[in-house]
Structure formats: C-alpha cells, structure tokens
Amino acid sequence: MGWMSWNAFGYDLSEEVVLATADTMLRSGLYAAGYTYLCLDDCWQGGRDAVGRLRADPARFAHGIAWLAGQLHTMGLKLGIYTCAGPRTCAGEAGSEGFEELDATTFAEWGIDYVKEDYCDAPPERSAALERYRRMGMALRATGRPIVFAVCEWGKRAPWEWAASVGASQWRTSDDIQDAWGGTGGILEVAERTEPLARWAGPGHWNDPDMLVVGLRGRSRAGAAGTIGCSEAEYRSQLSLWAMLAAPLFASCDLRQADATTLALLTAPAVLAIDQDRLGRPGGRVRRAGPVDVWHRELDGGAQAVAILNRSDDPVSLRVTWPSRHGPAPDVINAWSERPLEGGSELLRLEPHATVLYRSASSGVNPIIGLEPER
Ligand code: GAL
C-alpha cells in the first residue's frame, strides 16, 4: 500500500511534493492505515552522467534521490522509483535497456524499496519482454537489498504466467486506469479484466489492476480534460472491488489536498483488512442477477467477504438476507459502516455503480439476494 505520483503530478513532481505528501501520509492517518510506499513514477529523471549512471533532474530533486530515500526512511516510509525496459520511458526519459545491472545497483545504493518497470519503446514479443524483465529482476535480486519489483507491460503478454518467475511481486493486468467508471480503462472494465486472473495471485505475487483513482475528481492525467471524475459511490466501489481482488493499493490523487471524504474512503479499516487479508486469496464474481453482480472472497480463519455491485446506470433496490446456521443473526458486518447487520437482513437501495461490501466471520453462508421493484 502506498502512493504513486503519475496521475496527479506527471512532470510536476519534485522532492518538495514527495516530502509534503509523506508528511500528509503521517498526519492524516494514511500511514497508520498501512500506506507506506511513496513511488516516484515517470519524470523524475535527469538523464545519465558521464559514466552512465541515472540521475534525478537536479532542478526538482536538488538533494538527490539517496537523500530523499533517507528522509522517508527516517519517517518510517519507503521510496519507490520508476524505470522502463526500453531505451526511453513512456514520457521520453532515459530507460534501463542495456543498463539493468547499473540501474539496479544505483537504485539499491540510493535505498530504493520498490521499482516499477514500464514497457514503452520495447519489442512486442512476449519472449523479449520476459528476457528484459528477467534481466532487471535478477539484477535487483543480485543487489541483496529487498526491493519490490513491479512489472508494468499492461497485461499485454499474460505477465501473470511468467512475471513471478522473473522476480516480480506484482504485474499490471491492464492499460492505465481512468478516473471514470465505464469504458476502456474505467474502474469496471479493469476490475472485470483482472477478476478471471485470481488463480495466478497469492502472497508475494499479485495481480495489479493499477492505481486507485479515489479522490482524483477529474484533476489528473487519468481521464479526458474537463471531466469531473467519478462519483463518491464509484470511488467506494473501486476500493471495494480492489479489496475483493486482493490488489496492491496505491493512492494517486494529490494527498496534500485530499478532503475528509477521500481520506475516510482510503483509510476505511474493515475494507483495507479485506484487501490485506493474510490468506491472500483473491475473490471473484460468483453470481449475476440482472444488473447486480455478487462477488465472493474467502478470508483467513474461515471468514469471507461478499460484495454486491450495481453495474447499471440506474439505482436498484434489493433485499439481502444472510441465513444463519448458529442462532438468530449471523456474524456479518457492513465493511464500510462497520455496523452489524441487524437481524441478518436488510433492504438496500444501491446507487448507480455502487457496491455494498460485507464481511462475515463464518464461511459457507451465502446471502440470498432478492431484487425489489423500483418505485
Ligand atoms: C504508462 C504506465 C503508467 C505510467 C506512465 C508514465 O505506461 O502504465 O502507469 O507509469 O506510463 O509514463
């Protein structure tokens, strides 16, 4: 869990931004909730020096990356960085092709804790991607420093089949997420693209459906100019679905300006607990009833999570009943409100694209969902 700079900042990234974001993470409860990585995405670079070592843009990172990592480590935080498997990154900066060992060593010397490697300007074949990522994966491992390795080739060459074998802990499953619900790259499409891949993920090797767009509200690269982003219900659904997918959680809005609602969504304890559940087994869709999808995820210790999602553009009313095997009311909470489900049943009105997320302490009990006519 952490934060990634791309969506909100692009080239407007600087050490000041990173330190102010780190400060916010500590003060706002994000760090206490589990967000620890701050990741510089593309656009931190300032070319290579005379011996070929990467350097940060001195205008925006005056003290250098090693200094920045040191500052974050003192605060109990971790620093991530971005590079690319081609000679140029997606934004045209220096990439790592042919420099894998040197760059891995440089990152380790700087105290980097996470490396995202992109795939712009690189050959399309799966064998080439595998080879390039293997080179970086092995080079990072050879440094002896524990560094999370994140493969970012957008799910184009089935990385779930090979990325763990080249040392990656996570791999993107899709193109860039958009600050939108529908369409390509929207929350629903990315979630549904990732959902069938559950069996490839588990502790230490995760499907990555990309950053959280929660709180962007249209102010980012992740979306067409002039749009207002997602509704609160849609942002809540992204967190609910990412939790069901056991996805890495990287916030990407400008946390320095995040309002109380955004912070409350990002730090909802019972939702994050589902995402980070120790069993590490992603869930998936188990039922479709008209506009409503039901997702199920098995949790540690025999518990389970159930998400009920309204895919349609209209509100839906439904009655959810949890049959109990052990007495009058089963042990079920709404993971967003953390309130127990009184009497094991409730009538819900789900807004368009809204999700209700439950956690049940006992397994083997499936809720019965009955659609009610809209009045
Ligand atoms: C894309 C990548 C994004 C971001 C961007 C930076 O390829 O998917 O997450 O890293 O490049 O240029």
Side-chain angles (χ1 to χ4, degrees):
M1 291 169 65
W3 169 85
M4 212 167 264
S5 65
W6 178 249
N7 284 339
F9 292 97
Y11 269 104
D12 298 329
L13 184 60
S14 65
E15 61 188 31
E16 287 78 22
V17 164
V18 176
L19 289 176
T21 302
D23 195 48
T24 307
M25 273 168 67
L26 294 183
R27 280 187 299 101
S28 63
L30 284 159
Y31 174 68
Y35 293 84
T36 30
Y37 289 86
L38 283 97
C39 298
L40 310 175
D41 208 295
D42 208 349
C43 307
W44 62 270
Q45 308 89 333
R48 293 186 181 274
D49 69 13
V51 295
R53 269 171 74 101
L54 278 172
R55 62 181 167 208
D57 177 358
R60 292 176 292 127
F61 293 89
H63 295 87
I65 302 295
W67 174 85
L68 186 58
Q71 296 290 306
L72 295 190
H73 292 158
T74 312
M75 300 161 96
L77 297 164
K78 293 176 190 282
L79 182 62
I81 210 159
Y82 163 103
T83 192
C84 185
R88 295 269 146 215
T89 72
C90 301
E93 297 296 331
S96 285
E97 186 191 2
F99 289 92
E100 286 82 358
E101 282 76 21
L102 180 59
D103 291 352
T105 309
T106 304
F107 295 152
E109 284 172 9
W110 284 347
I112 293 294
D113 305 292
Y114 176 109
V115 172
K116 166 177 176 177
E117 191 175 27
D118 215 334
Y119 203 70
C120 279
D121 208 6
E125 300 77 26
R126 171 174 157 138
S127 56
L130 213 149
E131 194 39 48
R132 283 168 191 234
Y133 282 114
R134 188 191 305 283
R135 231 180 286 152
M136 182 56 91
M138 295 307 117
L140 289 170
R141 182 173 297 172
T143 67
R145 182 175 173 82
I147 298 176
V148 174
F149 182 33
V151 162
C152 177
E153 58 74 79
W154 320 292
K156 296 259 190 295
R157 285 150 281 255
W160 39 91
E161 292 175 2
W162 50 264
S165 75
V166 301
S169 306
Q170 57 192 75
W171 47 85
R172 283 270 299 275
T173 55
S174 70
D175 268 321
D176 294 8
I177 185 101
Q178 301 297 301
D179 185 11
W181 178 258
T184 309
I187 292 170
L188 183 63
E189 193 258 345
V190 173
E192 292 188 332
R193 182 183 285 275
T194 307
E195 185 266 345
L197 307 173
R199 72 187 176 93
W200 298 99
H205 49 103
W206 306 106
N207 291 317
D208 173 13
D210 204 5
M211 298 168 240
L212 296 171
V213 291
V214 177
L216 283 173
R217 297 182 195 279
R219 293 187 299 261
S220 81
R221 265 157 199 75
T227 56
I228 56 160
C230 292
S231 68
E232 187 186 322
E234 292 167 341
Y235 286 143
R236 224 177 256 272
S237 284
Q238 188 189 23
L239 273 161
S240 301
L241 295 173
W242 267 227
M244 296 302 281
L245 292 166
L249 299 181
F250 284 87
S252 69
C253 65
D254 183 351
L255 291 176
R256 303 168 310 170
Q257 296 179 16
D259 59 19
T261 304
T262 297
L263 292 175
L265 294 187
L266 289 172
T267 57
V271 178
L272 299 185
I274 292 171
D275 179 73
Q276 299 284 309
D277 181 74
R278 281 187 49 205
L279 189 61
R281 193 170 295 165
R285 193 176 70 211
V286 288
R287 225 175 320 151
R288 173 163 283 181
V292 170
D293 281 355
V294 182
W295 288 41
H296 176 267
R297 179 174 172 192
E298 198 184 326
L299 301 175
D300 192 41
Q304 59 174 331
V306 169
I308 302 171
L309 159 69
N310 174 14
R311 281 190 343 276
S312 91
D313 299 336
D314 297 311
V316 294
S317 293
L318 44 102
R319 175 159 290 283
V320 181
T321 307
W322 287 75
S324 176
R325 294 179 305 181
H326 317 287
D331 192 357
V332 176
I333 62 157
N334 177 316
W336 281 103
S337 67
E338 296 199 32
R339 270 196 229 108
L341 192 61
E342 299 295 341
S345 180
E346 66 181 344
L347 188 61
L348 290 175
R349 189 156 193 276
L350 284 181
E351 276 179 54
H353 315 153
T355 304
V356 58
L357 182 62
Y358 297 106
R359 181 194 181 95
S360 163
S362 43
S363 58
V365 190
N366 291 315
I368 298 160
I369 291 141
L371 290 175
E372 304 262 327
E374 271 300 306
R375 276 192 292 263

